Amino acid sequence: MTVVLTGGCACGAIRYECEAKPAVMLNCHCRDCQRSSGGAFAPLVVVQADHFCLRQGVPKYFVSVADSGNTVRRGFCAECGSPLFMSSAALPGYIALKAGSLDDPTLFRPAADLWTHSAQCWDSMNPILPKYEYEPGHPQQKVPEHA
């Protein structure tokens, strides 16, 4: 089923739309996501990039090398600083929308917690979600932890 996801930044300078069923929704606890979100993790809605469309404004991008060794490109509003979306060389053809930037963030339903080896001791993760110390497919990833 196709879903229309809309969102944008806090000041309204940037607006986006994505008409696609999310590939996955997850919480990433890597240090890069902690820094870029300003919190314990980044709640991400992963969608096919070819279904994503900027409707208004021009985001600014910050490119870095993540804990995984992959290049990550994070888009944010240069006016208000709102984090909006990211893409990674690890998932070509996909973009991850920051759940907090959605017009209706109640649509966010995470399926897993990733990079839990970097999770903070004060982070109260949902015990029902599968836990991955790294990302699936990472050489150091073991069988999912179940709390």
Side-chain angles (χ1 to χ4, degrees), residues 24-28 41-46 108-114:
V24 68
M25 298 184 201
L26 51 88
N27 297 319
C28 183
F41 59 90
L44 303 172
V45 178
V46 181
F108 182 65
R109 300 282 189 267
D113 287 302
L114 300 185

Side-chain angles (χ1 to χ4, degrees), residues 14 54 56-61 73-78 84-85:
I14 298 176
L54 278 170
Q56 177 181 309
V58 178
K60 185 165 181 156
Y61 291 92
R73 186 173 186 238
R74 290 181 171 81
F76 61 97
C77 177
L84 300 166
F85 36 79

Side-chain angles (χ1 to χ4, degrees), residues 35-107:
R35 288 183 183 103
S36 69
S37 72
F41 59 90
L44 303 172
V45 178
V46 181
V47 297
Q48 291 180 333
D50 58 355
H51 293 278
F52 175 82
C53 180
L54 278 170
R55 293 290 181 206
Q56 177 181 309
V58 178
K60 185 165 181 156
Y61 291 92
F62 179 74
V63 179
S64 64
V65 176
D67 293 342
S68 64
N70 291 303
T71 301
V72 177
R73 186 173 186 238
R74 290 181 171 81
F76 61 97
C77 177
E79 296 299 316
C80 66
S82 296
L84 300 166
F85 36 79
M86 62 177 280
S87 60
S88 170
L91 286 172
Y94 290 89
I95 188 166
L97 310 175
K98 300 289 181 112
S101 73
L102 294 172
D103 289 337
D104 185 2
T106 64
L107 297 172

Side-chain angles (χ1 to χ4, degrees), residues 96-129:
L97 310 175
K98 300 289 181 112
S101 73
L102 294 172
D103 289 337
D104 185 2
T106 64
L107 297 172
F108 182 65
R109 300 282 189 267
D113 287 302
L114 300 185
W115 288 93
T116 59
H117 86 282
S118 299
Q120 297 303 312
C121 61
W122 43 266
D123 181 359
S124 299
M125 289 185 261
N126 182 340
I128 296 171
L129 294 178

